[in-house]
Amino acid sequence: MLRVAVVGSGPSGVYTAQALVQQRDVPGVTVDVLDRLPCPYGLVRYGVAPDHEKIKSLQGNLRSALEHPDIAFLGNVPVGDVPGGVTPRRLLELYHAVVYCVGAATDRRLGIPGEDLPGSHSATEFVSWYSAHPDAVPGGFPLGARSAVVIGVGNVAVDVARVLARGADELRATDVPHDALSALAGSRVAEVQMVGRRGPSQAKFTTKELRELGALPGAEALVRADEAALDPAWDDPSGLPAAARRNVEVLRGWNTEPRLGRARRIRLRFFLRPVALLGDEAVRAVRFERTVPDGRGGVAGTGRFEDVEAQLVLRSVGYRGVPIPGLPFDTEHGTVPHDRGRVLRDGSPSPGEYVAGWIKRGPTGVIGTNRSCAKETVGSLLADMDVLKARPAAQDPRSVLRATVRELVEWPGWLGIEAAETALGRRLGRGPVKIPDWDGLLTAAGSRAGG
């Protein structure tokens, strides 16, 4: 019997567990999927926009994997050399192998003056709030603002811009927590400007997301023709890669001048680099420097500046991995050093320790990319089988964790949370509504927690 712990229950963790129990060359593998949260599914639950029901439906596939008889979900398990946590050293004593699939939990900063002014937030914080992450700060976003600026032109930037511009009635059918829905219903944001430092042909959003942004009822999406024209591919995008070409073609069909009668406007701005957030007691504007293509795929500053009004600023310039106390960490790349998934300590593979997902490769790729990433790591683990089986492990690590971790949440406890969210939605005249706080989640898990 080979006992493996997978730390993290998002797509990379579940795909790793699934690959381990489905392989046929080494029978008798059991996998415990540990998560710091009492709920599984990672960013599929807490990162996918609430109005993206098709992507959120991936939870069904992850659920089927976690219900496999050789896989167990163990939630509310903090991992690391932290108070109340289970250290990496202890996990190696309990299991033959441990695979860390903890993602990239924080955001990158802009590093400019005024970034910490009230009204300035990361898109990660905003997403966590409307996704009911239990660590999210309740409210605090100035939705009484007239104008919002989203810095970044990736899919997360599109998500937060769309949520700001979408009517609350359209979000009522989703699982947005009740307090967030009420706050969005009272939003006065009339204009959202999404700003990138390069051109439309280099934007990172997908065409599907872009089209959704341009088709919101009651909102109008605009592009500045003079800015877009700075992109050498704007007039003739035929030489671009397919995804970039489609994006440019969609944007070329957008209006350049606003029309009357629209409740909200979304403006895509290009070739602007943020240099400061302006304000005394709160953000009142973002100062941008105009950029131009440098001929090498990047941009150069021009020394010309523009102040854009904003009482709410959301930065969306990428995610970054967070160190797990007790594991090595590459601070430059925000990842755990590894060789094909094998964790490296002082340059050498650490027997029994592996990584997969964003903490392995950085925040790149789409959800499906995690399958091939997990497959590579599992391949390395299986190649190390003889060494791993020779390592000591606990006869019943789940029992040890039950005795160690306060309020451990196993699969029946998660089902209790699901039932409570369904009941909450029924009381509110909605579908299932997420519970947004730790106490509420653990209370819902109730007597089912721990089995």
Side-chain angles (χ1 to χ4, degrees):
M1 179 70 69
L2 184 76
R3 295 180 175 84
V4 181
V6 171
V7 181
S9 65
S12 62
V14 175
Y15 293 154
T16 298
Q18 193 173 43
L20 282 166
V21 299
Q22 287 181 345
Q23 53 77 34
R24 299 178 180 178
D25 295 336
V26 185
V29 178
T30 63
V31 183
D32 291 347
V33 179
L34 282 54
D35 203 291
R36 184 180 69 87
L37 298 174
C39 309
Y41 311 141
L43 279 181
V44 175
R45 176 175 168 90
Y46 288 119
V48 174
D51 55 347
H52 275 179
E53 290 298 327
K54 185 173 182 180
I55 302 176
K56 290 175 72 68
S57 68
L58 177 62
Q59 290 187 16
N61 296 334
L62 302 181
R63 181 192 194 95
S64 296
L66 290 173
E67 289 178 332
H68 189 284
D70 293 324
I71 297 176
F73 171 73
L74 304 176
N76 197 34
V77 182
V79 172
D81 191 6
V82 294
V86 182
T87 66
R89 180 187 296 274
R90 181 57 173 151
L91 285 177
L92 274 181
E93 294 171 350
L94 296 177
Y95 295 91
H96 295 105
V98 184
V99 187
Y100 294 90
C101 306
V102 293
T106 191
D107 60 281
R108 295 184 181 275
R109 292 178 60 83
L110 297 170
I112 61 175
E115 187 170 7
D116 294 320
L117 280 169
S120 169
H121 301 270
S122 72
T124 305
E125 293 170 327
F126 192 62
V127 170
S128 293
W129 172 67
Y130 68 60
S131 297
H133 195 292
D135 289 340
V137 177
F141 301 97
L143 297 180
R146 300 179 303 276
S147 178
V149 165
V150 179
I151 299 173
V153 285
N155 279 346
V156 175
V158 175
D159 281 348
V160 298
R162 191 181 64 253
V163 168
L164 282 170
R166 188 183 281 284
D169 285 343
E170 300 169 57
L171 293 171
R172 195 174 303 279
T174 72
D175 59 6
V176 166
H178 187 63
D179 287 350
L181 184 67
S182 298
L184 290 167
S187 171
R188 296 183 180 181
V189 175
E191 182 161 286
V192 181
Q193 301 202 46
M194 194 169 76
V195 188
R197 61 185 177 89
R198 299 193 291 179
S201 68
Q202 296 169 309
K204 299 300 184 183
F205 41 63
T206 59
T207 306
K208 178 179 180 296
E209 293 259 1
L210 186 62
R211 286 181 175 139
E212 287 178 344
L213 197 63
L216 290 178
E220 182 178 25
L222 302 165
V223 65
R224 279 265 298 263
D226 59 330
E227 292 176 344
L230 293 172
D231 192 319
W234 179 252
D235 289 332
D236 180 12
S238 61
L240 293 172
R245 184 183 70 249
R246 289 192 296 267
N247 286 344
V248 171
E249 289 170 348
V250 170
L251 289 170
R252 280 160 55 92
W254 284 15
N255 289 333
T256 58
E257 296 295 333
R259 296 176 293 176
L260 297 176
R262 297 301 178 103
R264 293 185 174 92
R265 293 192 179 104
I266 306 165
R267 298 181 186 269
L268 260 66
R269 306 288 308 277
F270 296 103
F271 294 108
L272 292 171
R273 176 167 56 201
V275 295
L277 272 59
L278 308 178
D280 297 320
E281 296 181 357
V283 170
R284 60 174 175 82
V286 184
R287 178 162 294 167
F288 291 97
E289 181 183 16
R290 170 66 63 196
T291 62
V292 292
D294 64 5
R296 300 184 301 275
V299 292
T302 64
R304 292 183 284 117
F305 299 89
E306 176 182 345
D307 293 350
V308 176
E309 178 192 354
Q311 298 82 38
L312 170 62
V313 177
L314 299 173
R315 66 181 183 271
S316 180
V317 292
Y319 290 97
R320 181 174 176 80
V322 175
I324 294 180
L327 273 187
F329 191 71
D330 181 340
T331 55
E332 180 181 354
H333 298 98
T335 57
V336 171
H338 71 93
D339 177 16
R340 289 172 293 179
R342 297 180 179 93
V343 171
L344 299 178
R345 291 183 180 270
D346 299 322
S348 299
S350 175
E353 294 186 306
Y354 302 84
V355 285
W358 279 2
I359 199 64
K360 170 187 173 185
R361 66 181 191 274
T364 61
V366 296
I367 289 175
T369 309
N370 291 296
R371 282 194 181 276
S372 56
C373 180
K375 184 178 179 180
E376 179 188 60
T377 295
V378 169
S380 295
L381 190 154
L382 295 178
D384 300 340
M385 187 63 64
D386 290 343
V387 173
L388 298 179
K389 283 191 170 182
R391 296 189 66 257
Q395 190 68 29
D396 186 0
R398 294 175 197 171
S399 293
V400 176
L401 291 175
R402 289 182 189 117
T404 303
V405 176
R406 183 172 177 266
E407 295 188 272
L408 185 77
V409 176
E410 299 187 57
W411 194 251
W414 161 240
L415 296 181
I417 293 171
E418 281 192 319
E421 293 183 338
T422 298
L424 174 60
R426 189 179 301 118
R427 291 195 299 272
L428 297 171
R430 299 170 56 193
V433 172
K434 285 181 181 174
I435 297 170
D437 60 283
W438 280 98
D439 287 345
L441 290 169
L442 293 175
T443 298
S447 60
R448 303 188 188 189

